[in-house]
Amino acid sequence: MEPCDVYGAESRGRTGARLACKLAIAHVVSSLKVGGAEQVVVDLATLQRAAGHDVVVIAISDDPDGPRAEQLRRRGVEVQLLPKRRGFDVSITARLVSRFAAWGTSLVHVHNLQPLIYAAPAGWLHRVPVIHTRHGVVDDPRARPWLRHAAAAFVDAHVAVSRPTAEVMLSEGQVTPPKLHVVTNGVDLSRFAPDPVARARVRAELGISQQAWVVGAVGRLTPVKDHALLLRAAARALPKDGRLLLVGDGPERAPLVALARELGLSERALFLGERHGVPRILAALDALALSSLSEGLPLAVLEAMAAGLPVVATAVGGVPTAVTDGLTGFLVPSGDTEALEARLTQLRDDPALAARMGRNGRKVALQRYSAARMVERYMDLYTLLLVRQHPRGKPTVRPSALVAHVKGSSALPRGLGPSAPREATDRDEGAPRGGAAAGARPRSPTAPPS
């Protein structure tokens, strides 16, 4: 495909049309470690590159590298690491602006809070559309709300991964309805399916009887996942030869291991740590459990459904939009040990019901939750913003080009030499792109306050 010349060009098609040209897409994340949001970015970037676009994933963090970085590199996606100093690092926005200019970025997609604060103003300075996806509803308690609200004003479109997440974003007052969209998560369906061979092999590797009833949970061991609730429910729901497989790692591991010992689950609760072969683990399960206090739209649930497993989950965030109670699994109140135990026991004692729910869940996943469908929705949104929100008159210089020159990553932009005449007009540097439909944007091209 030819590169898109969308900056300063006239509209080339109706809203909703596809751009048959190559984009330079920059995804900005705060981590490339194991996690649902990180996996969404991997699948999104991979499929965009496969469609012919140039894609880079930039990680901002004290320790930005991680397993997802290697996964992206293996799939041919460029990864850039942007180490961050402790606290608020005022240099991050300027460094991002310079990179966007040097790379010729045509669109910036930021994921979650920290990238929003640093990268949204940088995308605005580069004069390209900025999209922000919020993958969950839990905020970083250390973040200053006024800083988040200030950064949100630089965004052209906010995306929630579920309708409940969208409702939370609206209630916080940082997003207006015209700028808010819902794009549900999707998974690579080719990786998840019932697999009797993998089931037998994984159980043999873990020393689990082929006839045992096995429930699993996939997710980081953090307080918001409330694995303690699951351990308490499993202590009463698991038969003697049953097993609970906990896939993931995190700061709660030691307390959870101690709780399992206290509950008499030391032999039946297996802490498997981070695993890259999640499809194989799912194949070994009879059910998936999710005990979270808060969620956006968890990939673990979608992957389990695609693998043909019934799901027992707390009714939080976007989980009820994916799991239909009594049809594809069971929903229970958050924090209710007895309800979770009762539903796990019901699936344990009724294999026919569990199998039927698993088949129903797989059918729903195949129809609604493919990664390809998710990417198509995002590309439609990209097209909408690129067609609607560029200025009609082509400015002589992007502000980002000046920043890149000052930082030494590019030559002085044409038209700004000592004897060169000034060609930019007030219209060129005036009101931000987007008009009323996209919402007003800040007038002064400044980075967010510290």
Side-chain angles (χ1 to χ4, degrees), residues 9-93:
E10 297 291 336
S11 295
R12 293 182 175 82
R14 300 188 307 273
T15 299
R18 298 291 176 85
L19 292 176
C21 55
K22 180 188 291 187
L23 298 178
I25 303 165
H27 292 279
V28 185
V29 299
S30 60
S31 166
L32 287 170
K33 302 184 186 303
V34 173
E38 291 82 359
Q39 186 61 55
V40 167
V41 174
V42 168
D43 290 337
L44 185 55
T46 299
L47 290 176
Q48 288 171 337
R49 185 184 183 280
H53 302 289
D54 290 331
V55 186
V56 62
V57 177
I58 303 173
I60 306 170
S61 179
D62 300 336
D63 179 21
D65 209 350
R68 299 299 188 215
E70 184 55 33
Q71 192 177 359
L72 285 163
R73 293 185 184 108
R74 287 199 307 268
R75 299 183 182 190
V77 177
E78 181 178 352
V79 177
Q80 296 182 8
L81 307 180
L82 197 61
K84 173 186 169 297
R85 296 192 295 265
R86 287 185 177 276
F88 186 80
D89 187 346
V90 295
S91 72
I92 293 289
T93 295

Side-chain angles (χ1 to χ4, degrees), residues 385-410:
L385 297 178
L386 287 164
V387 170
R388 283 186 173 182
Q389 298 190 18
H390 55 68
R392 291 183 177 272
K394 186 172 183 179
T396 304
V397 178
R398 282 185 171 107
S400 62
L402 296 176
V403 176
H405 171 69
V406 169
K407 293 184 67 62
S409 61
S410 70

Side-chain angles (χ1 to χ4, degrees), residues 190-346:
S190 66
R191 300 176 60 227
F192 299 94
D195 188 341
V197 174
R199 177 186 177 90
R201 286 179 178 173
V202 170
R203 288 190 171 214
E205 290 169 6
L206 297 176
I208 301 173
S209 165
Q210 299 297 326
Q211 290 73 42
W213 188 74
V214 181
V215 61
V218 179
R220 277 182 53 77
L221 304 183
T222 58
V224 73
K225 298 295 185 179
D226 199 9
H227 287 94
L229 175 76
L230 177 56
L231 285 171
R232 293 188 180 95
R236 289 179 276 185
L238 283 178
K240 288 184 178 181
D241 67 342
R243 294 292 184 271
L244 169 63
L245 306 187
L246 296 168
V247 181
D249 210 342
E252 291 293 296
R253 182 184 178 105
L256 290 171
V257 169
L259 177 60
R261 186 183 306 112
E262 178 186 327
L263 293 169
L265 283 172
S266 294
E267 300 299 322
R268 290 180 291 165
L270 306 183
F271 291 82
L272 302 184
E274 290 184 357
R275 293 291 182 107
H276 302 303
V278 171
R280 295 180 70 247
I281 299 295
L282 292 178
L285 302 180
D286 293 295
L288 181 105
L290 183 135
S291 50
S292 298
L293 299 171
S294 175
E295 286 287 354
L297 182 58
L299 291 195
V301 165
L302 306 184
E303 292 168 350
M305 291 168 62
L309 293 175
V311 176
V312 182
T314 49
V316 296
V319 174
T321 67
V323 178
T324 302
D325 188 47
L327 181 66
T328 62
F330 291 119
L331 296 171
V332 300
S334 176
D336 191 332
T337 304
E338 292 183 358
L340 182 57
E341 175 202 345
R343 290 309 193 184
L344 289 173
T345 301
Q346 188 173 353

Side-chain angles (χ1 to χ4, degrees), residues 149-164:
H149 282 250
F154 292 93
V155 174
D156 293 286
H158 294 268
V159 175
V161 297
S162 69
R163 291 199 176 277

